[in-house]
Amino acid sequence: MDETAPFDVVFRARRMIGPDGEVPAAVAVRDGRIAAVEPPDADLPAARTVELQPDEVLLPGLVDTHVHVNEPGRSEWEGFETATRAAAAGGITTVLDMPLNSLPPTTDPQALAVKHRAARSKVHVDVGFWGGAVPENLAGLRQLHEAGVFGFKCFLLHSGVDEFAPLDSDQLARAMEEIAACDALLIVHAEDAASIDSAPQPSGRRYADFLASRPPRAERTAISGVLELARKTGARVHVLHLSCADSLAEIAAARADGVRVTVETCPHYLTFCAEEIPDGATQFKCCPPIREAGNRELLWRGLAEGTVDCVVSDHSPCTPELKRFDTGDFGQAWGGVSSLQLGLSAVWTQARQRGHQLADVVRWMAARPAEIAGVAGKGAIAPGFAADFCVFAPDEAFVVDAAQLQHRNPVTPYHGRPLAGVVRATWLRGQLAYRPGEIPPPAGHLLDRAG
């Protein structure tokens, strides 16, 4: 190994997904960043060379901007060590942690400091943090913004935990005004409380009854209200985990009118459909819910047309007991899908069936999440970007075994499901972060909005 070589490591791949699509390439790394992207036979002396196999593709490390880590306070649900191991095993090199389900929630600079202390020295990938917008902290949003959060999450109905209260319409307007003033980003769980309060209340084992308790009008009403306030205030808004395709036309029209709105969906909305969910299978419960097959196809159309910007996990785990497998009662079970390690394979499995390419998946799961959240230097293989890579074998298949995943708890609706595409290795700033059977010590950084 030549320690005097100009580059630390060079990756040579017959297939590499760059900003302009798929090409063969040699990618040179120096000091944790991409120094050059050249043709595959370029003379790039390096201390180390990594030759990808013919069936492997070099992708940028994925960026998952919707992860509930839950530490501190509910680390028996998930913690930084296990969550970031799972991320690395799934080809994800950057995650943004949601501000709720941990104790305290990330609603002031002091709570953000608690998060930092909990995460430091435990993270296998880079981790940044969202702040929360709740009724009692609206006057302090700028202070939390200046402390380095990537934006602010709010709910328009009960969040599932009492310590993270929702905003009413007046509070939402005030939050948008505060956020617009510092050009921050508001990310919204867009379900309308009144619509859900007037729907049948969920109970029992029938998935159809749970689905009826979270009707499409709840998303439509909430999204309409968010778009109208964004239009009035000029705030940047991001609609979280879109499950209902009914709002796509309104979102597209608002964007065409200059409203600064972006939208995400999740692998489970693109994979599963309500007609196939067994009664009592509470591992599928999430809010908003997984809807019918026709709706799923409209979400795919929204992705293809660009109305939906990105795909992120909304990894929201809990202990097996909270899923109430003893009763299968959807009304009592915690709502959240555990899938952090599986998102790339799940999306690729469905995407290729619909004629999409790996470059599309990279755009949805790496480039656009990084752009929307403002995660600098992430999500692309280009000079100056972090040397974060996923080595992916798109044609290798596997069957999900929940017990073999890196998540803290072996609960996922993907258990037993065949998926296409295997992560062979993950590299963080040019250093190995994951290989099957090999997970080096944590070497991730804690990120703030300044990078």
Side-chain angles (χ1 to χ4, degrees):
M1 189 164 65
D2 183 1
E3 300 292 347
T4 66
F7 300 111
D8 301 323
V9 58
V10 169
F11 294 81
R12 296 185 185 274
R14 293 170 176 83
R15 300 174 64 189
M16 183 273 288
I17 306 299
D20 298 321
E22 182 177 312
V23 293
V27 182
V29 176
R30 184 190 297 119
D31 297 329
R33 293 205 167 269
I34 298 169
V37 180
E38 300 290 344
D41 56 354
D43 183 18
L44 298 170
R48 182 182 183 189
T49 297
V50 176
E51 294 270 2
L52 271 66
Q53 297 300 310
D55 65 336
E56 295 175 342
V57 186
L58 189 66
L59 312 182
L62 304 188
V63 178
D64 191 335
T65 56
H66 196 149
V67 179
H68 294 268
V69 177
N70 306 331
E71 185 177 5
R74 293 187 174 96
S75 54
E76 70 276 13
W77 296 14
E78 190 72 275
F80 286 105
E81 172 74 26
T82 50
T84 58
R85 276 207 318 258
I92 299 162
T93 52
T94 305
V95 303
L96 296 191
D97 174 55
M98 283 292 164
L100 74 159
N101 298 347
S102 57
L103 295 169
T106 314
T107 53
D108 57 43
Q110 295 74 29
L112 178 62
V114 171
K115 278 275 193 183
H116 277 240
R117 289 195 294 272
R120 193 170 289 119
S121 79
K122 295 181 182 178
V123 294
H124 292 266
V125 301
D126 289 352
V127 176
F129 302 91
W130 294 107
V134 293
E136 60 269 22
N137 81 334
L138 299 182
L141 293 179
R142 180 179 287 274
Q143 186 181 14
L144 187 52
H145 174 74
E146 292 172 351
V149 298
F150 283 83
F152 301 93
K153 180 176 187 177
C154 73
F155 279 77
L156 308 182
L157 76 173
H158 194 277
S159 68
V161 291
D162 292 338
E163 67 273 5
F164 199 94
L167 302 180
D168 63 25
S169 58
D170 291 339
Q171 292 162 342
L172 179 63
R174 184 181 173 195
M176 284 201 196
E177 290 166 355
E178 295 283 341
I179 285 166
C182 53
D183 198 29
L185 176 65
L186 182 68
I187 63 176
V188 185
H189 182 122
E191 287 184 288
D192 175 61
S195 298
I196 289 176
D197 288 344
S198 64
Q201 295 305 296
S203 64
R205 295 175 54 85
R206 294 184 70 243
Y207 184 77
D209 292 340
F210 169 66
L211 187 60
S213 76
R214 314 290 292 212
R217 70 174 180 276
E219 283 190 84
R220 291 197 305 266
T221 301
I223 289 170
S224 292
V226 167
L227 293 175
E228 183 60 27
L229 283 174
R231 192 187 307 273
K232 290 179 179 178
T233 62
R236 288 193 298 134
V237 296
H238 179 74
V239 176
L240 296 168
H241 46 48
L242 183 73
S243 83
C244 176
D246 291 357
S247 293
L248 289 173
E250 185 178 9
I251 290 166
R255 189 179 288 164
D257 286 344
V259 176
R260 298 195 293 170
V261 56
T262 51
V263 185
E264 70 183 39
T265 193
C266 304
H268 42 279
Y269 300 130
L270 299 171
T271 299
F272 303 116
C273 60
E275 294 93 333
E276 297 174 355
I277 296 177
D279 290 342
T282 54
Q283 64 269 32
F284 289 89
K285 180 182 176 179
C286 56
C287 299
I290 296 164
R291 302 191 188 277
E292 296 83 359
N295 176 83
R296 177 186 61 189
E297 298 313 308
L298 291 173
L299 290 176
W300 274 106
R301 183 187 297 178
L303 264 177
E305 294 175 349
T307 307
V308 179
D309 296 270
C310 62
V311 183
V312 292
S313 69
D314 190 11
H315 178 67
S316 185
C318 66
T319 60
E321 294 76 20
L322 290 175
K323 277 296 188 181
R324 296 309 306 265
F325 295 126
D326 56 335
T327 64
D329 189 325
F330 280 95
Q332 296 178 348
W334 174 260
V337 166
S338 184
S339 63
L340 184 58
Q341 185 173 333
L342 300 170
L344 174 57
S345 299
V347 172
W348 172 237
T349 299
Q350 299 294 320
R352 70 178 192 167
Q353 294 175 10
R354 293 165 174 82
H356 297 292
Q357 306 301 312
L358 272 174
D360 299 317
V361 175
V362 165
R363 183 175 67 254
W364 300 329
M365 302 188 76
R368 284 298 283 148
E371 291 167 0
I372 290 166
V375 187
K378 298 280 192 172
I381 299 178
F385 277 64
D388 295 352
F389 307 118
C390 167
V391 177
F392 190 58
D395 296 323
E396 184 178 351
F398 70 104
V399 176
V400 177
D401 180 353
Q404 299 301 311
L405 300 177
Q406 299 295 326
H407 308 153
R408 174 151 294 175
N409 294 293
V411 175
T412 179
Y414 290 94
H415 177 68
R417 192 175 186 91
L419 296 178
V422 170
V423 174
R424 297 261 181 90
T426 301
W427 298 78
L428 181 68
R429 288 185 299 279
Q431 300 295 320
L432 184 69
Y434 167 80
R435 185 181 285 136
E438 182 181 358
I439 302 180
H445 292 177
L446 302 185
L447 306 177
D448 62 22
R449 200 179 59 262

